[in-house]
Amino acid sequence: MTIPFVDIAIIGGGPGGLALAQGLKKNGIDAAVFERDPVRADYVQGFRMRIRQRGIDALKANLPTHLFDAFIDTLGLAPTENLVLDEQFNRIDGAGNGSGEPEDTHIEKSVSRITLRQILLSGLDGIFHPGKCFERYENLRDGTVVAHFADGTAVRASLLVGADGAGSKVRRQLLPELGSIDTGVRRLAGKITLEDAARYGISPLLTDFNTHIRPRDGRTLMITSHRVDPAAYARHGLIGAEDPGHRDIPGFHFNNTTSYAWWNTAYEAGELGPDEVLEHLDGAALLDALLARIARWDERILKLIRHTDPSTVAFLKVKSSTPGAVWQTGPVTLLGDAIHAMTYFRALGGNTALYDTGLLVPELVAARRQGKPLLAAVQDYENAMRDHGYEAVRSSLSAMQRNIGAGRPLKAEAAPQRFREHT
Ligand SMILES: Cc1cc2nc3c(=O)[nH]c(=O)nc-3n(C[C@H](O)[C@H](O)[C@H](O)COP(=O)(O)OP(=O)(O)OC[C@H]3O[C@@H](n4cnc5c(N)ncnc54)[C@H](O)[C@@H]3O)c2cc1C
């Protein structure tokens, strides 16, 4: 069975793909999103995402007013003040956050990924097609492109946009030489509800600030919080509080209506244990591994880790893309993590994916409303996207280097030369 022709076919319904679909719909451009998974339940989906001005601007441009208002109203709050402590709970004055952040941090703006998805999916009936796993594309002689899906269906389009994330199959076909890089950095994170934090007597210094535990010897632990107001959800009938798709998943991880504190920490590969072991540990065992590593830290910090909900803890290999790829413009392009996946340090990946949509939509409007040739529009998008996206990748890599240990070389195996040049 073949799906009817669509002008712009988008592969992937993450923040990038969905925001693009919203922007095209808003401008009356024919588009469809093809998403592999009916429910988004990957680990990171249970967390909030820090949203920056560039992401907010793109959402404002792409969303209809009522959805942008819903986005603003349902934003979570993170603390605005930073605090730096050593591992014995002594305040380190004057340390600041030392990250040289630019103006647009909006450090207090924290969006639940579950809520953001609910907003971005609103009004996309007939445009969003879940259960469609993209396999490959085929360029036709007339300049159009056909996307083939695992279920045997296919769709022909004027433009295929790969917004299918870091492991993008669209990118693998378009730019087969461009792989993902294991940075050699490993991350652990976890959450505790603010209710539990109060019940267990966790110090407010760990729940009411963006607190950096900076040990004299060891790795930094970052703690912050995400506060939600369920009444704000209720004001927007279309935005369900909990995602029904998460109903059968046990534990607190995908709860979307409870305020929580959360922490994350990063180590070099092998420091906490071999990858092959850590990858197979459950949340409780990962907490034990971390507690063993920081056993001499102040009890007030250890208590937070000990009472973390194990369902919210997972081990993550930090990956990046290699910035710099350039290709000849054609009827297939890329957006978001599919072309510039980056480490989570600096909280830029999702914002950059959204920013891309703010670049691509006006170009496609120019192509469809003002007679700009489609390929010229796509090329202008790609040039702007590359400038901005590759800079974000480099910046997130240097932030990771700073965090993990002042200039120590990474243990990344077989990192391409270009990667080394930029770190
Ligand atoms: C630990 C961590 C913390 C982070 N924190 C932040 C933060 O605070 N702020 C921030 O801006 N960014 C953050 N990021 C980065 C952010 O999550 C990503 O950059 C963002 O999700 C990218 O959006 P995207 O739409 O490009 O891709 P994705 O979100 O990866 O979405 C891709 C979509 O494509 C679908 N897909 C994949 N393959 C196929 C296929 N073959 N066929 C059809 N569909 C397919 C997937 O199911 C998915 O829905 C963080 C990342 C991590 C790992």
Side-chain angles (χ1 to χ4, degrees), residues 99-421:
S99 64
E101 293 277 2
E103 287 302 293
D104 72 338
T105 53
H106 277 301
I107 201 163
E108 79 286 8
K109 291 201 168 60
S110 180
V111 64
S112 151
R113 288 170 188 258
I114 297 170
T115 306
L116 179 62
R117 183 172 156 84
Q118 290 166 339
I119 291 165
L120 289 174
L121 277 174
S122 297
L124 292 190
D125 293 352
I127 293 177
F128 178 71
H129 304 275
K132 290 282 173 201
C133 182
F134 168 85
E135 291 270 285
R136 65 186 175 86
Y137 67 79
E138 183 190 350
N139 288 307
L140 300 188
R141 281 181 181 197
D142 65 359
T144 60
V145 60
V146 175
H148 294 273
F149 300 101
D151 62 2
T153 58
V155 65
R156 191 168 70 89
S158 316
L159 180 69
L160 181 70
V161 182
D164 47 343
S168 172
K169 275 192 186 166
V170 179
R171 183 200 63 237
R172 273 189 252 160
Q173 184 173 348
L174 184 69
L175 304 167
E177 73 290 355
L178 203 68
S180 114
I181 295 162
D182 180 353
T183 63
V185 172
R186 305 293 180 251
R187 173 195 197 252
L188 280 186
K191 303 194 270 184
I192 179 172
T193 66
L194 287 181
E195 223 175 278
D196 277 355
R199 188 182 12 226
Y200 293 121
I202 305 294
S203 165
L205 294 185
L206 301 181
T207 55
D208 295 355
F209 295 85
N210 299 305
T211 305
H212 293 73
I213 309 293
R214 208 169 279 171
R216 277 157 297 183
D217 182 25
R219 301 301 185 195
T220 300
L221 183 92
M222 200 279 284
I223 309 155
T224 184
S225 57
H226 173 81
R227 289 173 158 80
V228 291
D229 171 11
Y233 286 78
R235 282 200 295 277
H236 296 279
L238 73 165
I239 314 282
E242 303 292 348
D243 187 325
H246 298 148
R247 198 181 294 131
D248 298 330
I249 304 173
F252 168 70
H253 193 54
F254 291 104
N255 176 300
N256 196 32
T257 49
T258 307
S259 300
Y260 60 88
W262 68 282
W263 53 264
N264 74 72
T265 184
Y267 284 80
E268 283 187 43
E271 278 188 301
L272 275 179
D275 284 352
E276 313 76 69
V277 173
L278 294 172
E279 268 166 346
H280 295 103
L281 296 184
D282 63 12
L286 287 169
L287 286 174
D288 286 343
L290 178 60
L291 284 164
R293 175 81 191 190
I294 60 173
R296 285 203 287 271
W297 287 21
D298 187 273
E299 171 57 22
R300 282 164 285 191
I301 308 168
L302 299 183
K303 192 153 73 167
L304 169 76
I305 306 298
R306 216 179 288 122
H307 289 299
T308 295
D309 182 325
S311 79
T312 68
V313 181
F315 171 75
L316 209 106
K317 289 183 175 174
V318 180
K319 301 200 173 162
S320 174
S321 57
T322 306
V326 180
W327 60 94
Q328 191 173 354
T329 299
V332 178
T333 193
L334 297 165
L335 179 149
D337 273 15
I339 179 62
H340 44 59
M342 60 195 82
T343 82
Y344 65 87
F345 295 85
R346 292 213 62 227
L348 277 176
N351 285 288
T352 310
L354 293 173
Y355 185 84
D356 287 352
T357 69
L359 298 172
L360 183 51
V361 170
E363 288 296 342
L364 294 177
V365 169
R368 290 300 179 242
R369 302 268 171 275
Q370 293 135 31
K372 185 169 182 175
L374 179 62
L375 289 188
V378 174
Q379 186 170 35
D380 286 347
Y381 155 72
E382 287 173 345
N383 286 336
M385 175 277 286
R386 281 190 282 252
D387 279 353
H388 177 264
Y390 295 161
E391 177 48 35
V393 176
R394 293 184 190 110
S395 147
S396 90
L397 280 167
S398 10
M400 182 187 74
Q401 291 279 45
R402 277 197 304 275
N403 179 288
I404 206 74
R408 285 167 66 182
L410 288 176
K411 278 189 189 158
E413 74 272 3
Q417 186 60 36
R418 201 188 273 150
F419 168 71
R420 289 196 214 110
E421 281 165 10

